[in-house]
Structures are given as structure tokens and as C-alpha cells.
């Protein structure tokens, strides 16, 4: 007699379970950003030095640290809501997928910022990741040819499209348009690189 082992992959989670996991992840992520900024304030903003310093070999580690650092609580506040919403919607498609997409965006965007940012500049903030998630969600539905994904992309574009367009223009020397632009491009690339596969069907058990 054949026995079937329960499949506990995230693909089999209920919508409520997916939403709960995605919500916990993003609430925890945003809370971590605020906690880090509290620590930054307590250390006299010493943590800001761990951002991305343009073309400084010693700053390559800042590529991973920069998305978690901010220049003050106003900076964190401006990034919290879009990161929470866009991250939540992305994570509904699976926590592993979200982490893979986020990793691609953070590394690709960080490398681009390190290479082309103005000399003697330090870049920090989650906005590169935010722009990346925006690009990912706008394109994903069309890549996967899923009606719901297309609708989600259109809604996201309607809500944040103007901000995204203005954010990638070099109009403010205090804002890293490089981080915004290459974050957006990295998110689009992630949508192309990680299309959702059709769920596998179980083969009939042999007696």
C-alpha cells in the first residue's frame, strides 16, 4: 500500500495563511528599520557611515546594509508605508519568492549606486528596494499572463506611478535618483527572472 506524505509547501497555504505570513514579515521588517534608526540616533548617527560610499572598496558591505539605514526618522517614515504595502503584496506570492526578489533588487541596485553615485557621497535608505518592488509588481502580471497580476500592476502604477517617474529624474541633489532608477530596473529584471511556475500536479499513487 502506498502512503502519501502531506505537502506543506507555501503553494498549498490558504489565502489567509499567506496574508498572515506576509503581514508578519513586513510589519517586522518595517519595525526593524525604526529600531535601527533609534540605535543610529543613540550612537550619534554613527551607523550612517555604513551606507554605500561611491566607489570605495571598503564600502561594498554597505550594499547590504544601506536598505536598512536612514538619515533620520522623517526618512524612515517616508519609506515605511510604501515598503509595507508593496512588500506585503509581493510576499503574498510566497515568502521565498519575496526574499529572492528582494535580494536581487538590493544587490543589483546597490552595485549600481556604488558605481555611478557622485564622488564622496553616502547613500542609505529603503527607497531602492521600494522602487524595485514597484517595478516587479507592475510587470509581473504581464510576464506571467495572469489577469489578477495585471490588475494589481495597474492599481500599483496608478497609486505610485507619478512618484516613481519623478523619483528617477535627477532633479534633487539630495535624493539618490540612481538608487531609484536602478532599483526600478532591478525589479523589472526580477519579474522576468522569476516567473511563477504552474503548480505541479501529483501523480497517482501506485498500489
Amino acid at each position: 500500500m502506498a502512503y502519501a506524505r502531506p505537502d506543506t509547501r507555501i503553494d498549498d497555504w490558504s489565502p489567509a495563511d499567506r496574508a498572515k505570513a506576509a503581514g508578519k514579515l513586513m510589519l517586522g521588517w518595517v519595525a526593524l528599520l525604526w529600531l535601527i534608526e533609534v540605535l543610529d540616533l543613540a550612537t550619534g548617527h554613527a551607523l550612517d557611515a555604513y551606507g554605500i560610499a561611491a566607489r570605495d572598496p571598503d564600502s561594498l558591505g554597505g550594499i547590504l546594509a544601506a536598505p536598512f539605514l536612514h538619515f533620520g526618522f522623517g526618512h524612515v517614515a517616508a519609506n515605511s508605508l510604501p515598503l509595507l504595502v508593496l512588500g506585503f503584496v509581493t510576499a503574498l506570492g510566497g515568502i521565498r519568492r519575496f526574499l529572492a526578489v528582494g535580494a536581487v533588487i538590493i544587490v543589483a541596485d546597490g552595485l549600481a549606486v556604488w558605481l555611478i553615485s557622485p564622488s564622496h557621497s553616502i547613500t542609505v535608505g529603503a527607497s531602492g528596494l521600494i522602487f524595485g518592488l514597484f517595478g516587479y509588481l507592475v510587470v509581473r502580471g504581464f510576464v506571467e499572463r495572469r489577469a489578477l497580476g495585471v490588475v494589481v500592476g495597474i492599481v500599483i502604477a496608478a497609486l505610485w506611478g507619478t512618484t516613481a517617474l519623478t523619483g528617477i529624474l535627477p532633479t534633487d541633489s539630495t535624493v539618490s535618483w540612481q538608487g531609484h532608477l536602478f532599483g526600478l530596473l532591478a525589479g523589472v529584471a526580477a519579474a522576468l527572472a522569476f516567473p511563477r511556475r504552474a503548480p505541479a500536479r501529483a501523480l497517482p499513487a501506485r498500489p
Side-chain angles (χ1 to χ4, degrees), residues 33-191:
L33 299 186
W34 283 88
L35 176 60
I36 291 174
E37 192 55 34
V38 170
L39 295 176
D40 186 43
L41 177 64
T43 59
H45 301 288
L47 299 182
D48 294 343
Y50 293 95
I52 302 173
R55 293 171 295 286
D56 180 355
D58 294 333
S59 175
L60 285 171
I63 290 173
L64 300 180
F68 298 92
L69 303 172
H70 292 82
F71 291 134
F73 291 108
H75 193 190
V76 181
N79 283 336
S80 292
L81 181 60
L83 178 61
L84 183 64
V85 174
L86 297 177
F88 173 77
V89 176
T90 303
L92 285 176
I95 303 301
R96 290 182 183 178
R97 176 177 295 271
F98 168 80
L99 295 176
V101 169
V104 168
I105 294 169
I106 288 172
V107 173
D109 181 52
L111 284 172
V113 168
W114 185 85
L115 284 170
I116 69 172
S117 287
S119 298
H120 311 297
S121 65
I122 295 180
T123 302
V124 301
S127 57
L129 175 59
I130 292 168
F131 274 69
L133 294 176
F134 170 85
Y136 173 80
L137 290 172
V138 169
V139 172
R140 181 187 63 176
F142 296 95
V143 172
E144 298 175 353
R145 298 181 180 180
R146 291 172 178 258
L148 179 58
V150 171
V151 171
V152 169
I154 292 173
V155 172
I156 294 295
L159 291 175
W160 278 290
T162 302
T163 301
L165 289 175
T166 56
I168 63 176
L169 298 176
T171 56
D172 188 340
S173 60
T174 65
V175 175
S176 177
W177 64 266
Q178 298 94 340
H180 296 171
L181 173 61
F182 285 96
L184 179 65
L185 294 177
V188 172

